[in-house]
Amino acid sequence: MTERKYFGTDGVRGKVGQFPITPDFILKLGWAAGRVLSQQGTKKVLIGKDTRISGYMLESALEAGLSAAGLQAAFTGPMPTPAIAYLTLTFRAEAGIVISASHNPYYDNGIKFFSAEGTKLPDHIELAIEAELEKPLTCVESAELGKAKRIVDAAGRYIEFCKGTFPSEMNLKGLKIVIDCANGATYHIAPSVFSELGADIVAMGVEPNGININDKVGTTDIRALQKLVVEEEAVLGIAFDGDGDRVIMVDHEGNKVDGDQITYIIARESMRRGDLKGGIVGTIMTNMGMEVALRKLGIPFTRVKVGDRYVMQKLIENGWRIGAENSGHVILLDKVTTGDGIVAALQVLASVVGTGMSLKDLCDGMSMFPQVLENIRYSGSGDPISSDAVMIATAAVEAKLGENGRVLLRKSGTEPFIRVMVEGENEEEVQGYAFEIVGAVKASF
């Protein structure tokens, strides 16, 4: 595969004000994307964003670039990433663009693209956009310039879509639920979805100010949610990330329920209803506990490398419907075209209502292996992972773990980190092994 210069595993992302997240480059990116996409049909592109303060600047730059290429921009304002995927499909747009850095801090931002089918852009389209970026920026004739407009009912459309994925014979009446919207794009969406289905909602992370997105709230920091669930005596809590494509849940005792556990519950419920098609796609980060639990149920399981685009590719290749990352990206292809935190949470709630069991009880069929994940900040040009000392340390740990554990080292595709993951049956041993490998990685810088 041709190496990409700008696109990562999830679009173009970086720190605002530093290349490539600068107004001039984003303008050029909008123009380049417009040049490629204008060769297709409607010449209309949807643009949504999360609640970062930099979104105002970047959407203006994108609009200018798209207009120069002759495309019309339709703005939704703050909307979850999966909402843009859905609306791109329903509006028959050429593409959808989301201005977001997902779970990253407010000072980062990025640009994600969706195809007319509501899926991530195919590789050849991304490469075509990169090729256009190498050319001088031009402008179509004045009469052909793209116009811009706002879609005023985008939120309502998406709220109704989400509610439609919940079984029509069920409701959430009598359930007290705490919802953490991460001061992000779901702040005006998720509370309406769950309350309109009958739940008693306690909302947090619903006061975005441009810089508090993902700040001690959301999927990356659920401590406040855990505390509030217990204080409110709620049946469970739901946390979304800044752009709403991830979900992490909390049971009534305050225990974390991650993407692997959520996926297991959904898969088992699908099997119970008789509509499970094929197996489950996870990633190299998926907890071994899920693999073991699915095997006991007779459900096939396969791993791919980290990134929801790779989960999606394998699902399509196998003709399966359910795939996920433990970080909370859950893809349910019978309902959505990309990871959708709200829709995934609703399917877990359908299992809660349908079985009469608590979230804690629903998780009991899956025993999580202790897993230690360490992030080591690294922005150098070398590859510490392949150094002799790191490889020797890793091999030694793998030998000790045998078949009852795993070691994984990788560079993050979205942040300047080397990630070290060690998994095994004994938590104390796993922590010690992780410490050994982290030490070897740091010593190799």
Side-chain angles (χ1 to χ4, degrees):
M1 184 184 294
T2 304
E3 188 72 21
R4 289 170 174 77
K5 186 174 180 180
Y6 306 108
F7 283 89
T9 56
D10 201 16
V12 180
R13 187 180 295 187
K15 188 171 183 178
V16 176
Q18 296 181 7
F19 187 84
I21 309 301
T22 58
D24 54 339
F25 180 81
I26 299 303
L27 185 149
K28 186 79 176 288
L29 178 63
W31 171 82
R35 291 264 296 177
V36 173
L37 297 169
S38 65
Q39 300 169 19
Q40 301 178 46
T42 65
K43 294 193 175 184
K44 178 169 61 179
V45 175
L46 262 64
I47 300 178
K49 61 181 180 179
D50 62 25
T51 56
R52 292 162 214 268
I53 192 169
S54 56
Y56 296 98
M57 174 180 74
L58 298 179
E59 70 177 355
S60 296
L62 274 174
E63 178 190 351
L66 289 165
S67 178
L71 266 73
Q72 303 173 48
F75 295 102
T76 67
M79 287 291 288
T81 288
I84 299 303
Y86 165 71
L87 293 169
T88 297
L89 182 62
T90 60
F91 274 95
R92 307 298 192 268
E94 290 304 323
I97 302 177
V98 181
I99 304 166
S100 174
S102 191
H103 58 285
N104 287 27
Y106 82 94
Y107 47 74
D108 289 340
N109 217 331
I111 309 296
K112 305 179 186 183
F113 290 87
F114 286 101
S115 71
E117 290 75 40
T119 59
K120 296 288 178 71
L121 284 186
D123 293 339
H124 72 277
I125 297 293
E126 288 188 351
L127 291 171
I129 292 172
E130 291 209 347
E132 289 295 322
L133 281 166
E134 301 304 315
K135 301 176 182 178
L137 191 149
T138 58
C139 186
V140 298
E141 294 293 327
S142 292
E144 299 174 11
L145 289 170
K147 299 178 181 179
K149 69 175 184 178
R150 296 232 166 238
I151 301 175
V152 296
D153 60 344
R157 285 171 177 257
Y158 180 60
I159 288 168
E160 289 305 311
F161 164 73
C162 290
K163 288 162 55 182
T165 68
F166 190 73
S168 58
E169 70 277 11
M170 294 181 180
N171 62 63
L172 301 177
K173 189 175 181 180
L175 299 184
K176 188 175 187 179
I177 299 172
V178 181
I179 297 178
D180 178 357
C181 296
N183 290 316
T186 61
Y187 80 97
H188 61 316
I189 302 289
S192 295
V193 171
F194 295 95
S195 62
E196 289 178 22
L197 286 171
D200 177 12
I201 295 299
V202 178
M204 57 178 286
V206 290
E207 297 179 348
N209 62 14
I211 61 174
N212 62 358
I213 186 172
N214 301 317
D215 185 11
K216 299 178 182 177
V217 285
T219 58
T220 54
D221 190 346
I222 63 168
R223 289 174 295 180
L225 174 63
Q226 290 172 309
K227 184 172 182 289
L228 192 56
V229 166
V230 174
E231 287 177 351
E232 291 285 342
E233 298 183 346
V235 296
L236 55 85
I238 305 170
F240 303 106
D241 67 339
D243 71 330
D245 62 358
R246 294 187 184 192
V247 61
I248 297 293
M249 300 181 76
V250 172
D251 70 23
H252 68 284
E253 294 181 354
N255 301 304
K256 178 180 179 181
V257 177
D258 73 2
D260 290 342
Q261 294 164 293
I262 289 168
T263 304
Y264 169 74
I265 291 169
I266 293 172
R268 186 177 58 186
E269 179 67 13
S270 295
M271 186 178 73
R272 187 181 72 85
R273 293 195 310 264
D275 57 12
L276 178 65
K277 183 179 180 181
I280 309 301
V281 177
T283 74
I284 54 177
M285 296 298 293
T286 298
N287 193 285
M288 285 185 71
M290 185 169 96
E291 186 174 356
V292 171
L294 290 174
R295 189 184 305 134
K296 289 179 180 176
L297 293 175
I299 299 175
F301 173 77
T302 189
R303 295 179 187 269
V304 296
K305 59 184 179 179
V306 172
D308 58 341
R309 68 162 51 233
Y310 305 114
V311 174
M312 178 70 79
Q313 287 171 2
K314 182 59 71 171
L315 285 173
I316 294 172
E317 179 185 319
N318 289 0
W320 296 354
R321 295 178 180 174
I322 303 173
E325 298 183 275
N326 62 349
S327 59
H329 274 129
V330 181
I331 301 173
L332 306 171
L333 285 187
D334 59 334
K335 295 176 174 63
V336 292
T337 59
T338 189
D340 191 315
I342 294 176
V343 171
L346 286 172
Q347 308 322 303
V348 173
L349 282 166
S351 188
V352 170
V353 174
T355 63
M357 297 169 66
S358 70
L359 179 57
K360 185 178 188 297
D361 289 341
L362 287 172
C363 291
D364 281 347
M366 174 180 162
S367 298
M368 298 283 281
F369 277 39
Q371 189 180 80
V372 175
L373 177 63
E374 296 287 345
N375 295 317
I376 307 166
R377 185 169 288 276
Y378 176 74
S379 55
S381 57
D383 185 11
I385 294 174
S386 60
S387 73
D388 290 343
V390 173
M391 293 178 70
I392 290 171
T394 301
V397 169
E398 288 177 331
K400 294 173 186 175
L401 287 169
E403 295 183 356
N404 298 318
R406 298 185 301 140
V407 176
L408 177 66
L409 281 78
R410 68 180 184 89
K411 283 186 176 181
S412 170
T414 58
E415 297 174 280
F417 290 117
I418 291 173
R419 305 200 193 279
V420 176
M421 189 275 286
V422 181
E423 186 176 44
E425 292 181 303
N426 184 291
E427 185 170 4
E428 188 174 332
E429 288 182 355
V430 166
Q431 289 175 337
Y433 294 151
F435 181 77
E436 291 176 22
I437 296 174
V438 167
V441 172
K442 289 181 176 178
S444 67
F445 289 178

